[in-house]
Amino acid sequence: MGSNYTSTFMSRNSAFSPYRLLRREIGLPTPIGSENALSKSLYCGMKPIAYWDYEKNNDVPTGGVFNLEFSPEGNLLVAACEKRSIQIFDPLTHDRIHSVNVAHSDCVNCVKFLDSRMFATCSDDATIALWDIRNLGRKICSLIGHSNWVKNIEFSVKDKLLVTSGLDGSIYTWDINTYTEYNVVHHRVFHASDLMRCRLSPDAKQMVMCTTGGLLVIIHNLNLSTLARDMRGFKPNLYRLMQMSHQLIPIAAMYDHLFDEDRRENRVELVSDFPVGNDAKVVSALQIHPQGWCALSRNISHGDRSEWSCIHDIQPIDRSDKSTLDMEPRSPPPLTPSLLPEPALTSANVPAPSPPSPPSPPSPRAPRRTPPARARLIARPSNLRLAYERSAHSRGQLGRNFNMQRIMGFATGIGAPISLEHARSATRLPPDHDDSAPDEDSTTPSTSGQTPAQHSAASAASAEEAAATKHYIRQNRQRLLYYIEETNEGRGFIKVKELCFSSDGRLVCSPFGRGMHLLALDKECSELPHCVQDFRGPTPLVEVGQSLGIHQDLVVSTKFSPRHHVLVTGCLEGKIVWYEPYSGEELF
């Protein structure tokens, strides 16, 4: 479809063309692709038209503008500023309406509108404040629960809950309609020490988190009421370590059920694919598409060598569509005897019956033996913790055989190899089996800790079967759609450079040094469904416009209006710039 576009077609259907207006007045149908031409003419012509800073009005310094947020109707703009203040503007006249100079006791990081009149702010003072736009003289209330800087606020329209995340690694939900004597009712629904940001899709059916380990975590079919119970103890970066090391970590494998595609609620998916040359040390900024189709993130590579902006698909995979299924083979972990099942009894390995011998009188002290045809049950993944604890206890009995691998096993959860005999003690036995009686093939381990020869042979014989059937480590799907390398100015700066989608999701505005640049999926500014029809792999984003040198310091916040073709950017100096479409002969 994109190959049918011509410069004549684009110019005749642009927002400034009288031909397009004439066709609309006559009532002629809209030609296919004219919406792309209209959007391109508006977005590609964005030019700075006005600005505001505290020096212009001889006002109190505001510091850096860390976040910008429009009201749902687009008639208000609120800026979260470094020096404890929030500034409210009319986005069409560019005038400041009101200022709250001491909104918090530390930097204000984020603003989120809950409806047309109420909004929330969060701060480095570890609190969240609720405000009514009709009375900014005092805040409605302060929400206290976090123990470190609060960086992000979301609102679940489905559950009517406020969702906040901070650098303490915790995600809290707040029922702002329920008050107690001490505080608003709140619950901690997730905790991970490496958490950076948390975002909700517009319908609140998905939650996306980013971490300092270069990882995106998607929770499909989100249910906030059961999230704390389902995710208790889950550590995304530890599970990712198990994937990269190809070695089973029992305390991470215990949460394998969270990834099952048959799971109805709170199903977890990890996203870890990034462009070549981008190792994604820290994913610092995160935004969700207005339709919930994809996630936009900005990350820093190892050693702050480069910055990248990436778009990942976050939609649930349709299992009936085989083209989207994960066909990458799962890699088994290194096989240790502690995880190997006993060899199954077949016609090939069942010993031949011996010739009959004269019966001997039974001995009252003879041990009861297990019948050869009775096979022991293999330890299931749900029993990995029990198996690991028992095997660790068995290793402790062999005082002569301690080494660094075993010592590290207690600290990391990665079990060191043990003998097959110890692995058998961790398996479940048949109900009628006498655990106090030795088996006919049991052998006492040697004092040196070496596995007996017969058990080594059994271990080698069952290794292939265990690798084919048990303990596979899940691999992540390839979710990367688009990417671009950024300027990487301001290295080591802890404040995040916030990107944003346009209201229709066609464009991305990204901070670019002391200005910004506009990025599209293709040169026609098409929507995502039209671009991925012929998708053959991750594709670089296309720059369709830029405005450089407008600010005197690094740009750290951007935002599109939800109702008008208006864009605003804010920088570390405290300057806010408005951009609107501009027509000119050089446009096409």
Side-chain angles (χ1 to χ4, degrees):
M1 180 176 174
S3 60
N4 295 328
Y5 289 115
T6 62
S7 60
T8 303
F9 176 85
M10 298 294 287
S11 61
R12 294 182 67 178
N13 291 278
S14 70
F16 311 104
S17 172
Y19 173 80
R20 186 188 69 85
L21 297 177
L22 179 61
R23 290 180 59 90
R24 184 175 180 179
E25 292 174 355
I26 296 176
L28 296 177
T30 302
I32 298 176
S34 61
E35 292 184 358
N36 291 351
L38 175 64
S39 299
K40 182 177 181 179
S41 62
L42 292 173
Y43 288 129
C44 294
M46 300 289 281
K47 302 295 181 182
I49 61 169
Y51 75 94
W52 177 92
D53 61 14
Y54 64 90
E55 293 181 350
K56 179 180 179 181
N57 299 327
N58 295 323
D59 207 341
V60 178
T62 60
V65 181
F66 292 151
N67 187 240
L68 294 162
E69 181 72 11
F70 283 92
S71 63
E73 292 80 11
N75 58 349
L76 289 174
L77 173 67
V78 181
C81 300
E82 178 184 7
K83 295 186 180 297
R84 307 180 301 170
S85 68
I86 55 176
Q87 310 293 329
I88 297 92
F89 299 90
D90 184 334
L92 298 182
T93 63
H94 319 130
D95 295 329
R96 188 179 66 177
I97 301 174
H98 195 82
S99 175
V100 182
N101 292 325
V102 190
H104 288 269
S105 60
D106 208 333
C107 303
V108 185
N109 295 319
C110 183
V111 180
K112 183 68 177 182
F113 271 90
L114 311 184
D115 53 31
S116 59
R117 62 179 179 84
M118 183 180 291
F119 65 92
T121 59
C122 63
S123 169
D124 284 354
D125 63 5
T127 66
I128 302 99
L130 297 181
W131 303 86
D132 192 324
I133 199 68
R134 299 170 299 181
N135 180 19
L136 293 172
R138 57 178 298 179
K139 62 186 72 172
I140 298 175
C141 65
S142 292
L143 310 180
I144 302 174
H146 284 276
S147 60
N148 206 331
W149 299 349
V150 186
K151 292 296 184 183
N152 193 70
I153 305 175
E154 293 290 302
F155 183 69
S156 173
V157 295
K158 180 180 63 174
D159 305 293
K160 305 301 180 184
L161 294 174
L162 202 67
V163 182
T164 62
S165 61
L167 293 189
D168 57 357
S170 297
I171 299 176
Y172 282 90
T173 59
W174 309 79
D175 188 354
I176 57 177
N177 295 317
T178 304
Y179 296 90
T180 65
E181 182 179 356
Y182 302 101
N183 199 358
V184 175
V185 175
H186 63 282
H187 301 280
R188 188 171 72 173
V189 296
F190 183 70
H191 176 80
S193 59
D194 44 26
L195 179 69
M196 281 294 295
R197 288 290 188 276
C198 164
R199 297 286 184 182
L200 298 181
S201 61
D203 56 5
K205 292 183 178 180
Q206 288 177 297
M207 176 185 286
V208 183
M209 297 175 282
C210 61
T211 71
T212 58
L215 191 65
L216 297 180
V217 183
I218 308 174
I219 301 179
H220 299 283
N221 302 324
L222 178 65
N223 186 348
L224 291 173
S225 61
T226 61
L227 185 63
R229 181 189 63 195
D230 295 340
M231 302 287 288
R232 182 178 293 113
F234 175 64
K235 295 177 173 55
N237 279 1
L238 185 60
Y239 198 94
R240 179 57 184 157
L241 174 63
M242 183 176 68
Q243 291 178 331
M244 295 188 297
S245 63
H246 299 284
Q247 184 173 2
L248 190 73
I249 303 178
I251 58 177
M254 287 168 50
Y255 299 92
D256 186 72
H257 62 281
L258 296 177
F259 298 82
D260 290 340
E261 295 187 357
D262 294 331
R263 188 176 179 85
R264 295 184 178 180
E265 292 181 345
N266 298 331
R267 179 173 65 86
V268 177
E269 181 181 355
L270 302 184
V271 178
S272 57
D273 55 323
F274 288 91
V276 177
N278 175 23
D279 54 8
K281 174 188 175 184
V282 178
V283 182
S284 56
L286 183 65
Q287 296 289 338
I288 305 298
H289 190 277
Q291 303 297 328
W293 293 336
C294 57
L296 170 66
S297 63
R298 185 154 180 162
N299 66 79
I300 305 171
S301 64
H302 187 73
D304 293 344
R305 291 190 300 268
S306 60
E307 288 188 35
W308 298 76
S309 297
C310 301
I311 295 179
H312 290 87
D313 176 24
I314 63 171
Q315 298 181 82
I317 299 297
D318 184 5
R319 286 176 294 166
S320 62
D321 183 5
K322 297 185 181 300
S323 64
T324 61
L325 293 180
D326 183 14
M327 304 305 293
E328 181 180 354
R330 295 177 179 177
S331 302
L335 299 173
T336 61
S338 61
L339 301 176
L340 297 180
E342 296 187 19
L345 294 177
T346 62
S347 59
N349 56 17
V350 173
S354 58
S357 59
S360 58
S363 173
R365 295 185 180 181
R368 184 165 58 90
R369 301 172 184 260
T370 304
R374 183 176 295 146
R376 296 184 179 183
L377 299 179
I378 301 172
R380 301 297 177 185
S382 59
N383 294 330
L384 285 175
R385 172 180 288 179
L386 179 61
Y388 177 71
E389 291 176 353
R390 291 183 178 178
S391 62
H393 175 73
S394 300
R395 289 197 302 271
Q397 304 301 321
L398 301 177
R400 302 182 185 178
N401 218 26
F402 279 118
N403 55 33
M404 184 56 66
Q405 184 178 7
R406 287 174 176 160
I407 295 173
M408 293 299 295
F410 288 100
T412 63
I414 305 176
I418 61 173
S419 66
L420 182 62
E421 184 65 24
H422 297 152
R424 289 180 175 180
S425 65
T427 58
R428 294 183 298 174
L429 304 180
D432 59 345
H433 179 71
D434 185 3
D435 194 22
S436 63
D439 295 333
E440 65 179 6
D441 60 343
S442 63
T443 305
T444 303
S446 64
T447 57
S448 62
Q450 299 298 323
T451 304
Q454 56 268 39
H455 292 303
S456 298
S459 175
S462 60
E464 182 177 356
E465 179 183 355
T469 57
K470 299 295 178 184
H471 310 306
Y472 283 109
I473 299 176
R474 297 176 183 266
Q475 298 299 317
N476 303 327
R477 286 189 173 91
Q478 301 299 311
R479 289 286 200 169
L480 180 63
L481 298 177
Y482 296 91
Y483 63 91
I484 190 171
E485 186 172 2
E486 302 286 1
T487 58
N488 193 28
E489 292 190 37
R491 297 185 181 184
F493 190 69
I494 195 170
K495 295 301 178 183
V496 180
K497 300 172 183 176
E498 294 284 357
L499 310 88
C500 69
F501 278 106
S502 60
S503 58
D504 54 9
R506 293 175 182 264
L507 256 70
V508 171
C509 180
S510 174
F512 196 73
R514 288 167 173 76
M516 63 84 186
H517 61 161
L518 298 175
L519 308 171
L521 307 183
D522 59 14
K523 61 181 181 180
E524 284 82 25
C525 299
S526 303
E527 290 185 301
L528 182 62
H530 298 158
C531 296
V532 298
Q533 294 177 356
D534 300 326
F535 186 74
R536 294 181 175 85
T539 306
L541 288 165
V542 178
E543 184 178 280
V544 296
Q546 64 178 8
S547 182
L548 306 179
I550 304 301
H551 293 268
Q552 283 74 43
D553 209 333
L554 295 178
V555 174
V556 292
S557 58
T558 61
K559 196 67 177 181
F560 274 99
S561 170
R563 289 293 182 90
H564 310 98
H565 285 86
V566 175
L567 170 68
V568 289
T569 59
C571 71
L572 291 177
E573 193 185 45
K575 184 178 180 179
I576 300 175
V577 178
W578 280 262
Y579 305 79
E580 290 185 6
Y582 168 81
S583 64
E585 298 178 355
E586 73 282 358
L587 190 58
F588 292 107

